Amino acid sequence: GFQNRPKSLKVFVNPSSHKREATHVYYEQVAPLFKLADIKTDVTVTEYEGHALSVLKECELQVFDGIALPYLLLDVEVTVCGDKYIPLYSHSRIVCVGGDGSVSEVAHGLLLKAQIDAGKDTDYIPTPVKAPIPLGVIPAGTTNILAHTLYGVQHAVTAALHIVLGHIQPVDVCTFSTPSKLLRFGFSAMFGFGARTLALAEKHRWMPSNQRKDFAFIRTLADLKPEECELSFLPLQIAQEDSQENDRITLLYLGSKDQWHKIQGHFLNVSIMAIPCLCSMAPRGLAPNTRLNNGSMALIVVQNTSRTEFIKHLKRYASVKDQFNFPFVETYMVQEVKVQPRLKNGPDAKENTYLNGASAEENYPWNIDGDLMKEASEVHVRLHPQLIHLYG
């Protein structure tokens, strides 16, 4: 009676996730369930960043029955791929075992391969085609926001059971692009505080994961500074009766179709999220006003304020209180967003000069699904409703 149950799985396992626990999680908790369900698995243990992406770009997606990322399982035997392409089993799907960064890489590779197969120009994809097969997510990383949002908990066995039973749902996806190229398919992004914290943590990867996250958070908070930029967004066009009950939060703009709105100023953080982004630190979600597949993105803008007030805002995420109930926080439901950093003049110009090269990369990091992206030019974010199917 479960028509979407997979018969075979291609599994990607990131052995470096969190405390190098992904391999243990898969073989001890997940693989036995797949075996009991008579699901064949083919496992690739990734050896470097971008390994899963390179494998997916070379494979034939039509042969997959299901995909689980960043954990790909096809058989009890493990296939560790080097630079050689290993053909995938017929009628298999994809599973990813790892954290948000691993899942993001696999999802991006799955969608990018779909565009290539459809003959799309991968530098500019205004209307991407949907991924042809679903993706499974097994949480085994430092952050597991996507898995937590899909299943309600960060629990590998729960995730595996959803895959075994074939529970599939469509999920909205964003494209992140510069004026000249596609950067990434993804589900959420932060510019400002959230991105600077990740950039600092990446510079201290020699530290244990939890320690470097705490260190980066405290150091970035101590050196809190706003980004001067211009935000342009296309509001979501919805009927008045469909808006949320909380009148204080700006959930929609009722204007002419395709009417862009602009905000200029100094912002401590800008979040753009197509999914609620549940996690242990934010049980209601980083963006509780959106859903997995309602065709909307949440744009959350934190204007410049004191460090004390900003900390109060951050603490609200872990409580039942409204984290947006501050005069310096604005939220919008949107379809598209453009983020354009602005030039600065004066004594700080050298530090903040927006030029091509290393200096620009230092100044304008982006946090896209837990992966660090360094871009100085305008970033254009488009929402694509129900572009991918995920187990959950």
Side-chain angles (χ1 to χ4, degrees):
F2 297 90
Q3 298 180 356
N4 292 321
R5 285 189 59 186
K7 298 177 181 178
S8 59
L9 295 171
K10 172 61 183 173
V11 179
F12 291 99
V13 178
N14 180 2
S16 300
S17 290
H18 194 37
K19 300 177 181 179
R20 302 185 181 277
E21 296 175 342
T23 304
H24 173 78
V25 167
Y26 174 69
Y27 284 106
E28 295 295 324
Q29 302 181 39
V30 178
L33 294 175
F34 289 160
K35 186 175 182 181
L36 281 171
D38 198 24
I39 298 174
K40 294 182 178 179
T41 59
D42 177 56
V43 182
T44 294
V45 179
T46 57
E47 299 176 348
Y48 52 87
E49 184 177 355
H51 187 181
L53 176 61
S54 64
V55 172
L56 286 168
K57 288 173 69 174
E58 296 297 326
C59 73
E60 292 294 331
L61 294 181
Q62 288 74 13
V63 306
F64 284 124
D65 179 49
I67 296 181
L69 298 173
Y71 329 103
L72 287 185
L73 312 172
L74 288 180
D75 201 341
V76 288
E77 297 182 0
V78 179
T79 303
V80 180
C81 294
D83 296 329
K84 297 174 63 179
Y85 162 64
I86 297 180
L88 298 172
Y89 288 73
S90 61
H91 307 300
S92 66
R93 300 184 184 185
I94 296 176
V95 172
C96 179
V97 182
D100 286 327
S102 303
V103 176
S104 179
E105 178 185 330
V106 175
H108 172 69
L110 179 59
L111 285 163
L112 189 63
K113 177 59 176 175
Q115 312 316 307
I116 294 172
D117 290 347
K120 296 273 187 177
D121 178 3
T122 55
D123 285 335
Y124 180 72
I125 314 176
T127 54
V129 299
K130 295 183 178 182
I133 54 176
L135 170 65
V137 179
I138 307 291
T142 303
T143 58
N144 302 282
I145 287 176
L146 183 58
H148 198 147
T149 305
L150 285 168
Y151 312 122
V153 293
Q154 296 177 186
H155 193 237
V157 171
T158 297
L161 290 174
H162 278 288
I163 295 170
V164 167
L165 294 174
H167 294 162
I168 295 174
Q169 63 175 315
V171 177
D172 298 340
V173 179
C174 303
T175 50
F176 299 88
S177 309
T178 67
S180 59
K181 67 174 182 177
L182 171 72
L183 295 175
R184 194 76 176 252
F185 287 97
F187 303 95
S188 65
M190 286 186 284
F191 176 79
F193 179 81
R196 286 187 177 276
T197 300
L198 178 62
L200 186 59
E202 289 297 309
K203 290 182 179 180
H204 295 79
R205 291 199 66 87
W206 52 271
M207 299 174 66
S209 59
N210 289 337
Q211 289 184 21
R212 70 169 176 265
K213 285 174 59 182
D214 292 343
F215 166 79
F217 180 85
I218 295 172
R219 181 69 179 272
T220 306
L221 196 59
D223 191 30
L224 187 65
K225 56 184 177 181
E227 304 285 4
E228 184 179 3
C229 61
E230 177 182 280
L231 303 178
S232 304
F233 60 91
L234 187 62
L236 182 68
Q237 299 294 320
I238 59 176
Q240 182 69 50
E241 57 267 24
D242 292 336
S243 63
Q244 298 291 323
E245 295 179 359
N246 191 341
D247 294 332
R248 190 199 53 74
I249 299 178
T250 308
L251 290 175
L252 68 154
Y253 271 39
L254 295 178
S256 61
K257 188 177 181 180
D258 299 330
Q259 181 180 358
W260 285 81
H261 298 261
K262 291 185 179 181
I263 306 175
Q264 296 182 1
H266 294 77
F267 307 118
L268 291 177
N269 193 69
V270 176
S271 300
I272 304 167
M273 299 178 172
I275 61 175
C277 294
L278 276 65
C279 62
S280 58
M281 297 301 296
R284 295 174 59 247
L286 299 175
N289 297 327
T290 190
R291 297 293 181 267
L292 281 169
N293 50 26
N294 67 347
S296 71
M297 288 189 298
L299 171 62
I300 303 167
V301 181
V302 182
Q303 298 179 0
N304 192 21
T305 188
S306 68
R307 183 181 293 105
T308 301
E309 289 298 302
F310 185 62
I311 292 174
K312 288 180 180 178
H313 161 65
L314 295 179
K315 285 184 175 180
R316 287 278 186 92
Y317 279 97
S319 71
V320 296
K321 294 183 179 180
D322 181 6
Q323 63 263 45
F324 307 132
N325 190 18
F326 293 94
F328 53 87
V329 180
E330 299 176 9
T331 69
Y332 308 89
M333 299 307 290
V334 301
Q335 303 173 64
E336 294 186 43
V337 181
K338 296 178 182 178
V339 180
Q340 175 66 65
R342 296 178 63 84
L343 291 170
K344 292 184 179 180
N345 298 315
D348 296 331
K350 183 177 180 181
E351 178 185 355
N352 297 285
T353 299
Y354 305 154
L355 299 173
N356 293 326
S359 61
E361 292 182 353
E362 286 292 325
N363 282 320
Y364 296 104
W366 277 77
N367 179 342
I368 300 180
D369 292 331
D371 273 353
L372 183 64
M373 305 288 289
K374 298 178 180 178
E375 291 296 330
S377 59
E378 175 184 311
V379 174
H380 187 176
V381 187
R382 290 186 179 92
L383 180 74
H384 306 283
Q386 304 184 13
L387 194 63
I388 195 172
H389 281 78
L390 300 178
Y391 288 97

